[in-house]
Amino acid sequence: MHSSKLLKILKNLTEEEIRRFHKFIRSPYYSYKKHCLLFFEYIRRYYPDFTSSKLSKENAFHHLFPDKAFQSQKMRHVMTDLVNLLEDFLVAEQIRHHDFQKKKLLRDAYGDRDLYEYFEKSTADITKTLDALPYRNSFYQHESMKNQEVYFFHPSTKKHLVKENYLESINEHLDQYFTLSKLQLATEMKARASILSKTYEISYLVEILKKADSSDPIPIEASLYKSALQLYEKDTLEQFVKLKEHFLENIQKLSATDRTFLFYHLLNFTIRKGNAGQQVFLKESFALYQVGLEMKILINKGRIADSTYTNICAAGIKIGQYDWVEKFIESYSSYLNIEVRDNARILCKAFLFYGQRMFRETDELISSFNFTSPFYQLRGKILSIRALLELYIKDHTYFDLIQSALSAFEKFIRRNQTLGIRHKKVYLKFIQHLRQLVKLSMDQKLDNTKKEQLKQRIRMQEGITNKTWLIQKIDEA
């Protein structure tokens, strides 16, 4: 039961949503099967984690049907019934939180029932809602097109009385929707092509660009998407700065969807360039992360992804923003999912110690904390080994400690059930080269010739984690 669809959905609900769902299934309109209410009230006591060993199909069945022997199939039917109600609730919640969707459904209901007077008023209300939006993006164009199309082609609409340019308006919205959607898709395809070394054939792109340029005025979204597309075609700092400045000037005028899309393209571009060794982009990444936090782009439904949290820490540490990072770690840890919160927070503190060259504190912090996530265990162990090597380079009395740590890490990798064979090889190669570096250094055989040979072997090998760092440490050893 713990891995069931039912519990996965319930875990995702807030306390308020759990309360509303309880009210929802008590309604005679929805709760057509009494056991659904009893079943929910039974499992609700285990919210929010649903991890108790008492929570099993057998225990739930005996609670619902105390006079019957356990029947697996019957219990599956009970769970399915509750899932169906839960999905009805999710749909109802979507409508409750999205007034525009409600308006569209009401329009369609009036239209389907040929309540034409109310259908006509609903289409007019939707037009008014759309025209009040501060942006003219693909959502606006698509919904305007569909609303006008539904109205015009309704059997009761007297087409000879419709405005003369009505069809031209539908066509213009369609063209604008296609233009904006195509530019967005083309940008995404160009981005993926730059990463995967793959060429995509993007049909109608030349025509789309001409259409975008011929608009008067050119919609902000079209102009920004065109600049984003050129970011991957020109691949220069100048084009990045042009897009970034244009984006920041208009950020308040964009929808949340467009804002997020363009932000991540800017951010991912800086990360890729920074990883390629272009140092100027490290500061750009950090500055964008600050914008993302300020504008809540990086925070979704009150949560920040732990990968984003750790990436922000790493970005700040790379450019020496230690005080800012220290405040960020504590201020934003509450936005993390509780299951990984302490893992991410401790790892980021260890990153900070390492960035400040406090290597002993790095190792001690990681060694004293029990990471509950295999992913964070792995990252913690690598960082600990890196800290120990830094200590060893300065003081060879750390030889036994780093050798012991490498042996323990090798056992961890080989026994790890969550890593595939290919990923295991990545870390085992790292251990192999690190051992060789430490041994040659300890035996005082690491002359310039040996260093170059070792660096060349590492450069030639594919799939080694921390490759750049390894080569750097060979020069320092």
Side-chain angles (χ1 to χ4, degrees):
M1 180 182 281
H2 290 96
S3 60
S4 66
K5 178 181 179 180
L6 172 64
L7 294 190
K8 286 179 180 178
I9 298 173
L10 288 173
K11 279 183 184 180
N12 188 261
L13 300 186
T14 65
E15 288 185 21
E16 177 58 29
E17 286 171 332
I18 287 288
R19 283 192 291 271
R20 284 203 299 273
F21 180 56
H22 190 212
K23 291 179 181 179
F24 182 89
I25 60 175
R26 281 187 295 173
S27 165
Y29 181 85
Y30 289 102
S31 191
Y32 54 92
K33 293 182 179 178
K34 183 180 178 182
H35 60 248
C36 287
L37 177 58
L38 295 175
F39 181 38
F40 173 70
E41 289 176 342
Y42 173 75
I43 61 176
R44 182 185 180 180
R45 67 186 71 172
Y46 300 107
Y47 175 85
D49 298 326
F50 298 104
T51 54
S52 173
S53 58
K54 296 179 182 179
L55 185 57
S56 66
K57 291 180 181 179
E58 291 79 4
N59 288 344
F61 185 89
H62 292 310
H63 178 79
L64 296 173
F65 312 104
D67 300 328
K68 294 183 179 180
F70 176 70
Q71 298 175 38
S72 179
Q73 186 173 0
K74 187 176 179 71
M75 192 62 223
R76 283 199 298 271
H77 289 160
V78 171
M79 292 176 69
T80 299
D81 288 340
L82 190 55
V83 166
N84 290 338
L85 276 173
L86 191 51
E87 289 177 340
D88 286 340
F89 171 74
L90 293 177
V91 172
E93 287 290 286
Q94 283 293 103
I95 296 171
R96 180 174 175 269
H97 291 293
H98 296 85
D99 188 57
F100 187 73
Q101 297 299 325
K102 181 179 177 180
K103 289 182 178 183
K104 287 201 302 177
L105 289 170
L106 185 59
R107 174 201 64 193
D108 294 344
Y110 284 144
D112 291 344
R113 295 169 183 275
D114 204 21
L115 294 167
Y116 188 76
E117 176 187 354
Y118 306 111
F119 165 76
E120 192 172 34
K121 287 180 180 178
S122 290
T123 57
D125 182 44
I126 289 174
T127 297
K128 185 178 178 181
T129 299
L130 287 167
D131 288 345
L133 293 174
Y135 44 80
R136 295 294 181 263
N137 64 352
S138 59
F139 170 82
Y140 168 83
Q141 303 296 347
H142 178 265
E143 295 301 335
S144 295
M145 174 199 72
K146 292 301 296 182
N147 191 49
Q148 291 180 2
E149 183 181 73
V150 166
Y151 173 72
F152 185 84
F153 289 105
H154 190 279
S156 298
T157 298
K158 296 176 181 178
K159 295 175 179 56
H160 65 284
L161 297 178
V162 173
K163 291 180 181 178
E164 187 178 340
N165 65 344
Y166 203 82
L167 288 176
E168 287 93 331
S169 177
I170 296 174
N171 188 60
E172 179 61 23
H173 285 308
L174 174 60
D175 284 352
Q176 290 290 353
Y177 168 68
F178 183 70
T179 297
L180 290 166
S181 296
K182 195 71 176 184
L183 284 173
Q184 185 181 33
L185 183 61
T187 300
E188 193 66 29
M189 293 170 81
K190 288 284 186 181
R192 288 181 65 81
S194 66
I195 297 170
L196 303 176
S197 300
K198 179 177 179 177
T199 302
Y200 289 98
E201 183 178 342
I202 307 173
S203 57
Y204 304 114
L205 184 57
V206 173
E207 292 83 358
I208 286 296
L209 291 170
K210 286 181 180 178
K211 173 65 178 175
D213 288 337
S214 67
S215 300
D216 186 22
I218 299 175
I220 292 169
E221 293 83 4
S223 177
L224 283 164
Y225 282 142
K226 185 180 175 183
S227 291
L229 188 62
Q230 291 173 337
L231 179 64
Y232 297 103
E233 292 175 342
K234 296 182 179 180
D235 201 39
T236 62
L237 175 61
E238 291 73 22
Q239 183 60 33
F240 166 79
V241 171
K242 179 182 176 182
L243 174 59
K244 182 190 73 173
E245 290 178 350
H246 192 20
F247 171 71
L248 294 177
E249 285 170 7
N250 294 284
I251 193 168
Q252 298 287 0
K253 301 174 186 177
L254 298 172
S255 71
T257 301
D258 293 313
R259 189 184 299 164
T260 300
F261 179 87
L262 291 162
F263 171 82
Y264 276 108
H265 275 278
L266 283 165
L267 179 63
N268 291 337
F269 186 83
T270 64
I271 291 171
R272 183 165 59 86
K273 290 296 184 182
N275 290 341
Q278 297 188 38
Q279 297 294 309
V280 65
F281 283 99
L282 298 179
K283 287 187 177 180
E284 295 288 357
S285 291
F286 180 68
L288 281 171
Y289 276 127
Q290 290 180 306
V291 170
L293 290 171
E294 181 184 349
M295 299 300 299
K296 300 289 191 292
I297 298 172
L298 297 169
I299 299 172
N300 183 29
K301 294 181 180 177
R303 287 279 178 258
I304 185 168
D306 57 307
S307 58
T308 300
Y309 179 86
T310 54
N311 286 342
I312 291 172
C313 291
I317 291 165
K318 283 178 183 177
I319 61 171
Q321 292 288 331
Y322 304 131
D323 291 341
W324 186 93
V325 170
E326 187 174 10
K327 291 176 183 176
F328 169 81
I329 290 171
E330 297 306 325
S331 299
Y332 282 87
S333 63
S334 60
Y335 289 90
L336 292 166
N337 188 310
I338 194 168
E339 293 176 353
V340 295
R341 183 175 298 162
D342 288 339
N343 287 260
R345 185 173 57 83
I346 294 299
L347 184 67
C348 282
K349 281 189 173 183
F351 277 149
L352 182 58
F353 283 149
Y354 185 89
Q356 294 171 306
R357 303 192 65 79
M358 298 167 64
F359 303 123
R360 186 177 291 105
E361 289 83 351
T362 303
D363 177 58
E364 288 174 353
L365 179 60
I366 293 171
S367 300
S368 65
F369 184 75
N370 180 29
F371 288 100
T372 56
S373 160
F375 174 72
Y376 281 97
Q377 270 186 312
L378 184 60
R379 294 182 73 182
K381 287 179 183 297
I382 290 175
L383 186 60
S384 178
I385 285 171
R386 286 180 54 161
L388 288 173
L389 183 71
E390 299 282 1
L391 291 168
Y392 167 75
I393 289 172
K394 299 296 182 183
D395 182 355
H396 279 21
T397 62
Y398 280 91
F399 176 78
D400 289 337
L401 189 56
I402 192 169
Q403 288 284 57
S404 176
L406 286 169
S407 296
F409 186 45
E410 182 179 3
K411 287 180 182 177
F412 172 79
I413 294 297
R414 293 189 184 280
R415 293 173 180 175
N416 196 307
Q417 300 297 314
T418 62
L419 290 174
I421 294 173
R422 184 171 66 86
H423 285 98
K424 285 186 177 184
K425 286 181 178 179
V426 167
Y427 296 108
L428 291 173
K429 287 176 186 177
F430 170 75
I431 294 167
Q432 174 193 344
H433 288 297
L434 203 51
R435 271 203 182 113
Q436 195 171 7
L437 167 61
V438 171
K439 189 173 187 309
L440 287 171
S441 173
M442 191 65 182
D443 294 342
Q444 297 183 340
K445 295 180 180 180
L446 197 61
D447 55 24
N448 288 335
T449 301
K450 290 284 186 185
K451 284 184 178 182
E452 287 305 316
Q453 289 174 351
L454 185 54
K455 285 194 293 185
Q456 188 60 23
R457 279 199 296 274
I458 293 172
R459 289 192 189 102
M460 294 294 290
Q461 269 198 325
E462 293 294 326
I464 302 177
T465 187
N466 290 261
K467 180 184 280 192
T468 303
W469 176 82
L470 267 173
I471 291 170
Q472 179 186 343
K473 293 304 125 181
I474 290 169
D475 286 328
E476 294 178 13

